[in-house]
Amino acid sequence: MNTYLIKKKEDFAHVFRNGSFLNCRSFTINYAKKSKIVSINSPRFGIIVSKKVGNAVQRNFVKRRIKALKNIFLNCGKNELDYILVAKKNLLNENFKILSSQLEQTLNKIKYHE
């Protein structure tokens, strides 16, 4: 079971309602403190890929790339935060190493900003 993924509408709404965001070239990260109900002791993240990114094949490719970055979320993310990664069209053609370094830098900014 993927306990690190956010899948419920209420959890997405909680992050958008109570959180902040940080823009990057390839994605935007929204983050907020977990609601009191959540008992998982690791950071969780959700993925949003709109139809502006491309067709279904391209959107699924983007989701797979983001899920492949889960170790960076688990290592660099704060345990008391939920993250939602909103993909931009640039993420399709970006090099994977550049993506991982962008995500790591962004999570470190969030960690030291909080």
Side-chain angles (χ1 to χ4, degrees), residues 47-62:
I47 302 167
I48 296 178
V49 184
S50 73
K51 286 188 176 182
K52 292 179 184 178
V53 173
N55 62 16
V57 175
Q58 293 170 329
R59 291 193 305 270
N60 288 333
F61 175 71
V62 167

Side-chain angles (χ1 to χ4, degrees), residues 65-78:
R65 290 186 96 184
I66 294 171
K67 286 179 186 176
L69 296 169
K70 79 169 181 172
N71 289 333
I72 295 174
F73 272 108
L74 298 177
N75 293 334
C76 295
K78 289 178 83 172

